[in-house]
Amino acid sequence: SYSRTDLLELCLASVSRFAPPRTEVVVVDDGSRDACVSRVARAFGATVVRRERAGGFCVAANAGIAAATAPVVELLNDDAEVTAGWAEAALARFADARVAAVAPLVL
């Protein structure tokens, strides 16, 4: 996330509400002014990866993936809001050993 705390708050509120128990949430603060993204993420109990300079989506996504400890990683943009069942639908697909990645329906 880069300095879009209003959107990040909505995103994290939806993740907090609908994520499966023990979900690890990692937020990458991609060089936001005054670390504002870091403060919002910590308020939601997320692990924060703070980049001093903005690197863009790919750099930030890779930093978040590297920090994650879970065997499955779901990438969300800071303007995403999830609904009930969002994670479970994707996780169910991994029961098939031939599945390495899934993509959600985006509305």
Side-chain angles (χ1 to χ4, degrees):
S1 184
Y2 177 76
S3 300
R4 294 175 6 157
T5 56
D6 56 335
L7 296 175
L8 181 62
E9 286 176 356
L10 294 172
C11 176
L12 291 175
S14 71
V15 170
S16 294
R17 181 172 179 202
F18 295 117
R22 298 177 308 284
T23 294
E24 174 187 27
V25 177
V26 177
V27 173
V28 178
D29 180 338
D30 197 25
S32 68
R33 298 180 303 274
D34 301 326
C36 58
V37 165
S38 296
R39 284 191 297 281
V40 168
R42 285 189 188 103
F44 281 90
T47 298
V48 175
V49 175
R50 167 86 173 137
R51 294 186 34 78
E52 291 303 316
R53 290 186 328 163
F57 176 78
C58 291
V59 171
N62 284 330
I65 291 167
T69 61
V72 175
V73 176
E74 172 104 22
L75 296 176
L76 294 173
N77 289 344
D78 57 8
D79 62 350
E81 290 183 57
V82 300
T83 57
W86 69 280
E88 292 83 359
L91 291 171
R93 302 291 182 214
F94 290 107
D96 182 340
R98 298 172 297 165
V99 174
V102 297
L105 174 64
V106 178
L107 301 173

